[in-house]
Amino acid sequence: MAQHYYTVSWDQLHRDSKALAWRLSTMTPFDGIVAITRGGLIPAAIIARELECRLIETVSIVTYDDERRGEPRITKPPVAAGDGTGFLIIDDLVDTGTTARQVRALLPRAHFATVYAKPAGKELVDTFITEVSQDTWILFPWDTEAQFVAPIMRKA
């Protein structure tokens, strides 16, 4: 379990994702976006709208089971992005850098941006908005209600 928790509301995630889009808007137009599933999907949608980018690809790398970190597994590669040239990679968070290293290896020429960054992984991304301490677990709005709620499929 984490030592600290930081709750992010839907409104805050939207504001922070839009701030990231604003920062990215000064860069060369991107040919497409690669959203890292699942956490990068919603920030990628917000950023795609703001940057008027219509080509969205995904990459799925499984590294967490609840709060336990495991060996990364690529379950869906970003085929349409090639080596990443002209693409923008979006994720919600870079933590230890495990996922970021995997995605960088797949898309070495892409620009990598996250909404939130922790010290151990922030050097692996090109752009981020908010830094949080390494011992903080971010509670994203899709993981919480008034209290933590397990995914529907796990309740069955």
Side-chain angles (χ1 to χ4, degrees), residues 34-37 57-62 72-85 87 89 98-112:
V34 175
I36 299 176
T37 68
E57 171 64 287
T58 60
V59 59
S60 180
I61 300 177
V62 179
R73 291 178 298 131
I74 299 169
T75 57
K76 193 258 175 211
V79 178
D83 67 357
T85 300
F87 274 79
I89 302 164
T98 300
T99 299
R101 276 188 280 284
Q102 294 283 319
V103 175
R104 278 277 191 212
L106 293 171
L107 305 168
R109 300 192 53 153
H111 185 93
F112 202 143

Side-chain angles (χ1 to χ4, degrees), residues 29-61:
F30 297 101
D31 298 329
I33 292 175
V34 175
I36 299 176
T37 68
R38 293 175 304 203
L41 289 170
I42 292 169
I46 295 165
I47 291 163
R49 179 196 183 273
E50 296 302 325
L51 299 183
E52 295 188 330
C53 184
R54 301 277 180 171
L55 176 58
I56 311 296
E57 171 64 287
T58 60
V59 59
S60 180
I61 300 177

Side-chain angles (χ1 to χ4, degrees), residues 1 38 61-73 137 143 148 150-151 154:
M1 298 293 284
R38 293 175 304 203
I61 300 177
V62 179
T63 55
Y64 281 97
D65 177 16
D66 292 322
E67 293 183 31
R68 293 182 306 275
R69 200 172 293 122
E71 289 300 314
R73 291 178 298 131
W137 185 266
D143 291 328
F148 178 78
R154 200 168 307 146

